[in-house]
Amino acid sequence: MNIILREQTAGGTEFAAEVLNKLTERKSILVAGGAGFLGSRLCAVYLEQGHRVICVDNLSTGRIRNIEQLLDHPDFSILLHDICRPLPVMGRVDFIYNMACPASPPKYQADPIQTLRTNLEGAFNLLDLARATKARILQSSTSEVYGDPTVSPQPESYWGNVNTVGPRSCYDEGKRAAETIFHEYDEVYGVDVRIARIFNAYGPGMDPDDGRVVSNFITQALRGEPLTIYGDGSQTRSFCYRDDMVSGLMALMHADGPVHEPVNIGNPVEFSMRELAELVLTKIRTASKVTYLPLPKDDPRQRRPDITRAMTLLGWEPAVALVDGLDDTIAYFAAEIDAHPGRTVAAE
Ligand code: UDP
């Protein structure tokens, strides 16, 4: 596939502003998981564009640090709440994003039952709120619904190859079941649902300790520690810059509906983990070498989105190549490490 990367590094910010220009009046947006990496960026962009934002988070992996600059904004409110419990009755809500679930394997595996509850009970509770308020609701699903895919790239029509009883199952099957719950609320109750399958987002705002490959490699290189490659590093992922991801989610949310089918949102340029390590080491002057650690069980061999549907339906495509998006990301992690020099990286 030929991917045209637009020549800009502002990411999807301009695209997101264009999408939101379609809204003719101020809207109320509820972001569950609004203190997380992507959720907090969604909150910030809607506020910048003059809308009201309610952030719902239980701060399990979300961080106040991600939203501290929003706390004094008159149109921003935060509800400390676990979506496993029904949401309190609120006033007007027009759009709901469900971004609430740990996405990093070490984090979602730390409490697999809670991961399942968040995905299942959280889906029901947010959908019930959407029904009650007549809001449109977007589910942040994941490329993990494809498991260890046997086809590449992965189109939405691929049903996946997922282990139901492995270390990743609580997340993969939780997200798969959540898609079904969303689908049935659409079919049975006519709720306006959107399902985005997110492929490996990265960028400023990631938790340095979340144990994901981008945060691990960069923080390791910045500290002069070895970069921990799991397995032989030939497994692949396709990394999508934060602002591209957020603009893709917004494009899906505000697409003239209905949109009954899931939509892949990601950057289809694929890298092996060895290539990623090399790229990080070309950007950060460091004494770091690489070290090889065992591959976690059920780690997908390959992952690359087919984004034909997003391009056709939403007119969206990613604008930021990994080689550019890493610059902002590295600068962000360097500042985080300066602020908290003692922390260690969560490698498996
Ligand atoms: N990985 C790695 N070193 C690390 C962390 C992760 O080589 O320090 C690998 C991991 O085994 C996987 C890939 O990087 O193959 C992406 O891992 P991540 O946890 O970022 O995301 P996911 O597996 O959920 O796509």
Side-chain angles (χ1 to χ4, degrees):
M1 186 188 303
N2 268 333
I3 300 302
I4 300 150
L5 293 170
R6 275 175 265 151
E7 286 197 356
Q8 49 137 319
T9 52
T13 312
E14 289 153 29
F15 187 91
E18 275 169 39
V19 167
L20 296 190
N21 272 343
K22 288 202 306 195
L23 302 176
T24 50
E25 54 172 34
R26 258 156 69 86
K27 299 290 184 188
S28 277
I29 321 296
L30 185 145
V31 183
F37 161 49
L38 293 174
S40 59
R41 187 66 192 153
L42 281 166
C43 292
V45 175
Y46 277 103
L47 287 172
E48 276 163 25
Q49 299 296 320
H51 300 284
R52 278 183 293 267
V53 171
I54 306 159
C55 165
V56 177
D57 210 300
N58 67 353
L59 300 180
S60 68
T61 54
R63 301 184 302 155
I64 285 291
R65 186 165 170 64
N66 284 337
I67 49 168
E68 64 192 358
Q69 301 199 333
L70 311 179
L71 293 174
D72 290 335
H73 196 295
D75 294 326
F76 182 74
S77 51
I78 176 159
L79 175 65
L80 294 176
H81 181 88
D82 185 337
I83 58 165
C84 295
R85 286 182 290 120
L87 282 97
V89 177
M90 341 215 154
R92 179 180 149 185
V93 180
D94 300 300
F95 298 98
I96 300 173
Y97 285 90
N98 181 15
M99 311 298 295
C101 185
S104 170
K107 298 281 163 146
Y108 67 65
Q109 289 164 0
D111 190 346
I113 301 292
Q114 181 62 19
T115 300
L116 281 162
R117 283 194 200 284
T118 303
N119 278 309
L120 305 178
E121 296 171 358
F124 281 115
N125 288 327
L126 288 172
L127 282 159
D128 285 338
L129 179 69
R131 246 187 114 190
T133 56
K134 301 197 179 353
R136 183 179 291 173
I137 181 166
L138 181 144
Q139 164 69 354
S140 64
S141 190
T142 168
S143 53
E144 285 281 330
V145 300
Y146 302 121
D148 189 5
T150 53
V151 302
S152 183
Q154 295 88 53
E156 291 86 348
S157 55
Y158 176 55
W159 287 358
N161 176 34
V162 180
N163 182 359
T164 59
V165 289
R168 301 176 86 98
S169 310
C170 59
Y171 185 74
D172 298 11
E173 293 293 355
K175 287 285 186 185
R176 285 172 67 93
E179 286 198 6
T180 311
I181 298 167
F182 271 71
H183 167 72
E184 293 302 350
Y185 267 65
D186 176 359
E187 289 279 309
V188 177
Y189 299 128
V191 175
D192 188 350
V193 310
R194 312 284 156 113
I195 298 172
R197 292 182 177 158
I198 293 177
F199 282 69
N200 292 78
Y202 73 97
M206 291 182 93
D207 182 348
D209 289 328
D210 82 352
R212 303 206 79 175
V213 70
V214 171
S215 47
N216 276 6
F217 283 1
I218 294 177
T219 54
Q220 287 161 343
L222 289 169
R223 293 188 168 112
E225 296 166 0
L227 274 61
T228 52
I229 294 180
Y230 301 161
D232 66 4
S234 62
Q235 72 272 30
T236 66
R237 296 292 185 273
S238 303
F239 299 100
C240 186
Y241 187 64
R242 175 197 66 180
D243 293 354
D244 280 337
M245 179 56 64
V246 163
S247 73
L249 296 175
M250 288 181 163
L252 176 56
M253 178 63 105
H254 297 292
D256 295 333
V259 184
H260 298 295
E261 304 289 328
V263 181
N264 288 340
I265 308 284
N267 186 324
V269 183
E270 191 177 15
F271 290 83
S272 72
M273 296 311 100
R274 262 204 311 268
E275 288 168 335
L276 176 67
E278 278 163 23
L279 188 54
V280 168
L281 290 176
T282 60
K283 288 189 170 281
I284 301 176
R285 285 171 187 274
T286 174
S288 295
K289 302 268 185 290
V290 299
T291 182
Y292 290 87
L293 298 179
L295 187 68
K297 186 171 180 305
D298 294 347
D299 198 286
R301 291 286 321 148
Q302 58 181 350
R303 181 177 296 153
R304 176 182 170 203
D306 179 332
I307 59 164
T308 309
R309 184 174 288 169
M311 290 168 77
T312 316
L313 193 71
L314 312 177
W316 173 90
E317 62 178 318
V320 181
L322 183 63
V323 67
D324 298 321
L326 280 179
D327 291 341
D328 275 5
T329 312
I330 290 169
Y332 157 78
F333 280 121
E336 286 282 297
I337 287 175
D338 279 350
H340 307 280
R343 284 202 304 217
T344 50
V345 173
E348 294 207 329

